[in-house]
Every structure is written in C-alpha cells, then in structure tokens.
Amino acid sequence: MLYGIIADVHGNIEALSAVQAFLAERGVDRLICLGDIVGYNADSDACVRLLARPPVLAIAGNHDLIAIGRLGVERCGAKAAFALRRTRSALSADSKRALALLPKRRVIEGEIVLVHGGVADVCQYMVSPAHIEENALLLREREPSGRICFFGHTHVQALYEVEAAVATARPIGERVSLGRARQRFFINPGSVDAARRSEKLADFAVFDSWRQEISFHRVPYDHERAERRAAEEGYRMTWLDTRLGAARGALAHLRPRWR
C-alpha cells in the first residue's frame, strides 16, 4: 500500500490542496492524517470534511480535542489559545461530531501505529532521542506489534531509529529504506500548515508499506491567501487582542485580593 502521511493541517485548505494535488500525481492508495485537522486557520470545516471521514485514516490531535471541548487550552501558547477559541465558536456541529469520533491512536497493517504527540500523551512534543526512547518503551507495552510509529505535533520532519532501547536520529533523504529488521522507527512527516515557519512550504511524507520505504516532501502553497483569510476571519491576534489579554491576566492575578 502506498500511503500519503500528513499531520498538523490546522484548517489550512490552501496548503492541504497543494499536498493533495502532489499525492494524486504520485498515485497514493490511502491518506493518513495524524491529527490537528483544525486550528490556526480559516477553513477548519472544509478540512474536516476532507480528512475526518473514511477513506482517510485519521486520528485526533490536541487541537481537534480542544476544539470539541475534550481538552482545555492550558498547555497552549497565547496565539494558539486565541485561534482555538475562535475555532470552537466557528466550527460546525457536523464537524464537531466528526472530530468526536476520531480515535487518539490507530494500528494499521499490524505494525504501523499512528499517534499525534506521544504514545500516551497527545500534547507531548517528541523532539529528542530521549523522548523517543521513553515512547518506544510505551509503544512496546501498549502496542507490542508496533514497529513503525508515525507522529506529528512538532511541525518538524524527523526520522528516528530505535535499536536495543537506544534512539538515533537519522538523516532525512529523498527515499529511506526501513528494512524488515527488528528495529523500531518513529517518523514525523512535518506539518502541512507552515504558518509557524519562516519557509512557507507544506511538509508531508509518502510511505510504501510493501517496499518499506519512506520519502519526505515539501511543496509551496498560497501562504499569503491563507494568512489573509485567517486574519479576516479572526484567527490572528491583533495588537489590541494582546493588550486585552495582558489586562485580563493582571485582573485575574489581582482578583483574590478583592475578595
């Protein structure tokens, strides 16, 4: 099976459309989405319609869970929390129902595990070999057959190999063979949405489960349009929003003294 692997779309239909066009040209058999379908940008409903239902194999990310009220914004930065409050208010009832049906973890083909953040914590950033080693132990406990774990959340393409409980970051080439040995692999395809990066390219990967090969890709998209629409629809903090947020924080700090 030839899979397109995406993560962290965050309501960016411009970036998602560019990725889908590339994958269609490559003739992928199935699309996998590692969560965070909604969030920072203006088209969360459209992205949910495309990704949160079969035949796409999708899981829930922390932004998806926050958008439907299953998680709070306590672990989010100010900009993310602001955009997610807007997402909660704008998201349709149909989209919320679709997101509520998504699992936090999936296993496909017996050995491929899909998570968003960490194996046990959807909000965990796995950004170092130590994080991978910790999660490799959790994977062995919770999904013993899991040999290849795809994850998102960090917005950074990455490939880690785990052997004898030691994780090693491997270089990302045009095509990387995962072999059929006893090693485990943790793979991040990067983020479709590039709003948080200086280089405005949509990241993703293609995985051939027959040949056991992974390739990493980046494509341009209409970032200016995506940003303009996000601002127009109220997903970007303005100078006034920042000042009001600071004022509310100060009042919350002082409130106990007034009681």
mmCIF file of all heavy atoms in Angstrom, residues 17 43 71 121-122 126 129 133 140 151 160 174 192 205 221 223 232:
data_model
loop_
_atom_site.group_PDB
_atom_site.id
_atom_site.type_symbol
_atom_site.label_atom_id
_atom_site.label_comp_id
_atom_site.label_asym_id
_atom_site.label_seq_id
_atom_site.Cartn_x
_atom_site.Cartn_y
_atom_site.Cartn_z
ATOM 1 N N SER A 17 -4.687 21.544 -0.129
ATOM 2 C CA SER A 17 -4.979 21.342 -1.550
ATOM 3 C C SER A 17 -3.703 21.101 -2.350
ATOM 4 O O SER A 17 -3.666 20.252 -3.255
ATOM 5 C CB SER A 17 -5.724 22.551 -2.110
ATOM 6 O OG SER A 17 -6.982 22.708 -1.465
ATOM 7 N N ASP A 43 -10.238 27.587 7.527
ATOM 8 C CA ASP A 43 -11.071 26.599 6.842
ATOM 9 C C ASP A 43 -11.106 25.255 7.548
ATOM 10 O O ASP A 43 -10.975 24.197 6.917
ATOM 11 C CB ASP A 43 -10.588 26.433 5.400
ATOM 12 C CG ASP A 43 -10.919 27.653 4.556
ATOM 13 O OD1 ASP A 43 -12.110 27.930 4.344
ATOM 14 O OD2 ASP A 43 -9.974 28.339 4.138
ATOM 15 N N LEU A 71 -10.365 18.860 25.679
ATOM 16 C CA LEU A 71 -9.146 19.361 26.318
ATOM 17 C C LEU A 71 -9.291 20.864 26.472
ATOM 18 O O LEU A 71 -10.019 21.513 25.711
ATOM 19 C CB LEU A 71 -7.905 19.063 25.464
ATOM 20 C CG LEU A 71 -7.322 17.653 25.453
ATOM 21 C CD1 LEU A 71 -6.112 17.611 24.524
ATOM 22 C CD2 LEU A 71 -6.925 17.196 26.846
ATOM 23 N N ASP A 121 0.426 10.591 25.505
ATOM 24 C CA ASP A 121 0.090 11.991 25.773
ATOM 25 C C ASP A 121 -0.006 12.735 24.445
ATOM 26 O O ASP A 121 1.012 12.995 23.790
ATOM 27 C CB ASP A 121 1.153 12.624 26.669
ATOM 28 C CG ASP A 121 0.864 14.084 27.009
ATOM 29 O OD1 ASP A 121 -0.166 14.622 26.545
ATOM 30 O OD2 ASP A 121 1.683 14.691 27.726
ATOM 31 N N VAL A 122 -1.225 13.084 24.062
ATOM 32 C CA VAL A 122 -1.443 13.734 22.771
ATOM 33 C C VAL A 122 -0.755 15.093 22.678
ATOM 34 O O VAL A 122 -0.494 15.593 21.577
ATOM 35 C CB VAL A 122 -2.969 13.882 22.515
ATOM 36 C CG1 VAL A 122 -3.585 14.903 23.450
ATOM 37 C CG2 VAL A 122 -3.262 14.223 21.070
ATOM 38 N N MET A 126 7.704 15.266 20.978
ATOM 39 C CA MET A 126 8.823 14.325 20.889
ATOM 40 C C MET A 126 9.883 14.953 19.991
ATOM 41 O O MET A 126 9.803 14.893 18.756
ATOM 42 C CB MET A 126 8.357 12.982 20.325
ATOM 43 C CG MET A 126 7.403 12.254 21.243
ATOM 44 S SD MET A 126 7.322 10.456 20.952
ATOM 45 C CE MET A 126 6.462 10.389 19.385
ATOM 46 N N PRO A 129 16.092 12.290 21.116
ATOM 47 C CA PRO A 129 16.216 10.838 21.276
ATOM 48 C C PRO A 129 15.679 10.340 22.618
ATOM 49 O O PRO A 129 15.104 9.245 22.684
ATOM 50 C CB PRO A 129 17.718 10.597 21.143
ATOM 51 C CG PRO A 129 18.184 11.693 20.237
ATOM 52 C CD PRO A 129 17.363 12.896 20.652
ATOM 53 N N GLU A 133 13.028 7.366 23.098
ATOM 54 C CA GLU A 133 13.306 6.176 23.898
ATOM 55 C C GLU A 133 12.204 5.929 24.916
ATOM 56 O O GLU A 133 11.763 4.783 25.112
ATOM 57 C CB GLU A 133 14.662 6.330 24.589
ATOM 58 C CG GLU A 133 15.834 6.239 23.621
ATOM 59 C CD GLU A 133 17.143 6.729 24.199
ATOM 60 O OE1 GLU A 133 17.173 7.089 25.401
ATOM 61 O OE2 GLU A 133 18.145 6.753 23.453
ATOM 62 N N ARG A 140 6.035 -0.436 23.144
ATOM 63 C CA ARG A 140 6.215 -1.875 23.345
ATOM 64 C C ARG A 140 5.189 -2.425 24.333
ATOM 65 O O ARG A 140 4.687 -3.539 24.171
ATOM 66 C CB ARG A 140 7.632 -2.160 23.840
ATOM 67 C CG ARG A 140 7.976 -3.653 23.894
ATOM 68 C CD ARG A 140 9.436 -3.867 24.131
ATOM 69 N NE ARG A 140 9.858 -3.328 25.429
ATOM 70 C CZ ARG A 140 11.123 -3.293 25.855
ATOM 71 N NH1 ARG A 140 12.086 -3.745 25.061
ATOM 72 N NH2 ARG A 140 11.415 -2.811 27.036
ATOM 73 N N PHE A 151 4.145 10.021 13.967
ATOM 74 C CA PHE A 151 3.663 11.019 14.920
ATOM 75 C C PHE A 151 3.760 12.414 14.306
ATOM 76 O O PHE A 151 4.446 12.635 13.308
ATOM 77 C CB PHE A 151 4.449 10.948 16.228
ATOM 78 C CG PHE A 151 5.896 11.374 16.137
ATOM 79 C CD1 PHE A 151 6.291 12.642 16.548
ATOM 80 C CD2 PHE A 151 6.881 10.515 15.646
ATOM 81 C CE1 PHE A 151 7.621 13.047 16.475
ATOM 82 C CE2 PHE A 151 8.206 10.905 15.572
ATOM 83 C CZ PHE A 151 8.577 12.171 15.982
ATOM 84 N N TYR A 160 13.609 8.714 13.438
ATOM 85 C CA TYR A 160 14.411 8.117 14.496
ATOM 86 C C TYR A 160 14.377 6.596 14.362
ATOM 87 O O TYR A 160 13.325 6.008 14.098
ATOM 88 C CB TYR A 160 13.861 8.478 15.879
ATOM 89 C CG TYR A 160 13.958 9.938 16.241
ATOM 90 C CD1 TYR A 160 12.926 10.814 15.928
ATOM 91 C CD2 TYR A 160 15.074 10.443 16.910
ATOM 92 C CE1 TYR A 160 12.999 12.157 16.271
ATOM 93 C CE2 TYR A 160 15.160 11.782 17.261
ATOM 94 C CZ TYR A 160 14.117 12.633 16.939
ATOM 95 O OH TYR A 160 14.189 13.965 17.281
ATOM 96 N N GLU A 174 15.786 11.628 0.248
ATOM 97 C CA GLU A 174 14.661 11.582 -0.688
ATOM 98 C C GLU A 174 13.887 10.281 -0.534
ATOM 99 O O GLU A 174 12.667 10.246 -0.654
ATOM 100 C CB GLU A 174 15.174 11.726 -2.125
ATOM 101 C CG GLU A 174 14.068 11.727 -3.164
ATOM 102 C CD GLU A 174 14.593 11.922 -4.562
ATOM 103 O OE1 GLU A 174 15.743 12.374 -4.705
ATOM 104 O OE2 GLU A 174 13.847 11.619 -5.511
ATOM 105 N N VAL A 192 1.601 20.172 7.473
ATOM 106 C CA VAL A 192 1.045 20.734 6.244
ATOM 107 C C VAL A 192 0.973 22.250 6.365
ATOM 108 O O VAL A 192 1.340 22.983 5.451
ATOM 109 C CB VAL A 192 -0.340 20.121 5.953
ATOM 110 C CG1 VAL A 192 -1.038 20.859 4.817
ATOM 111 C CG2 VAL A 192 -0.197 18.638 5.626
ATOM 112 N N ALA A 205 4.839 13.246 3.921
ATOM 113 C CA ALA A 205 5.674 12.106 3.556
ATOM 114 C C ALA A 205 4.849 11.105 2.753
ATOM 115 O O ALA A 205 3.609 11.144 2.763
ATOM 116 C CB ALA A 205 6.247 11.438 4.799
ATOM 117 N N TYR A 221 2.604 26.590 -1.367
ATOM 118 C CA TYR A 221 1.165 26.838 -1.439
ATOM 119 C C TYR A 221 0.930 28.340 -1.311
ATOM 120 O O TYR A 221 1.876 29.107 -1.082
ATOM 121 C CB TYR A 221 0.416 26.055 -0.355
ATOM 122 C CG TYR A 221 0.678 26.532 1.064
ATOM 123 C CD1 TYR A 221 -0.153 27.474 1.687
ATOM 124 C CD2 TYR A 221 1.755 26.034 1.801
ATOM 125 C CE1 TYR A 221 0.089 27.897 2.984
ATOM 126 C CE2 TYR A 221 2.007 26.459 3.093
ATOM 127 C CZ TYR A 221 1.157 27.395 3.684
ATOM 128 O OH TYR A 221 1.411 27.818 4.968
ATOM 129 N N HIS A 223 0.467 30.876 0.625
ATOM 130 C CA HIS A 223 0.517 31.278 2.025
ATOM 131 C C HIS A 223 -0.111 32.651 2.254
ATOM 132 O O HIS A 223 -0.785 32.871 3.274
ATOM 133 C CB HIS A 223 1.970 31.291 2.501
ATOM 134 C CG HIS A 223 2.164 31.969 3.816
ATOM 135 N ND1 HIS A 223 1.733 31.417 4.997
ATOM 136 C CD2 HIS A 223 2.715 33.180 4.134
ATOM 137 C CE1 HIS A 223 2.027 32.240 5.993
ATOM 138 N NE2 HIS A 223 2.612 33.299 5.500
ATOM 139 N N GLU A 232 -8.706 37.859 8.416
ATOM 140 C CA GLU A 232 -10.054 38.380 8.169
ATOM 141 C C GLU A 232 -11.116 37.648 8.983
ATOM 142 O O GLU A 232 -12.102 38.254 9.409
ATOM 143 C CB GLU A 232 -10.386 38.259 6.678
ATOM 144 C CG GLU A 232 -9.596 39.196 5.788
ATOM 145 C CD GLU A 232 -9.785 38.902 4.301
ATOM 146 O OE1 GLU A 232 -10.402 37.871 3.965
ATOM 147 O OE2 GLU A 232 -9.299 39.699 3.476
#
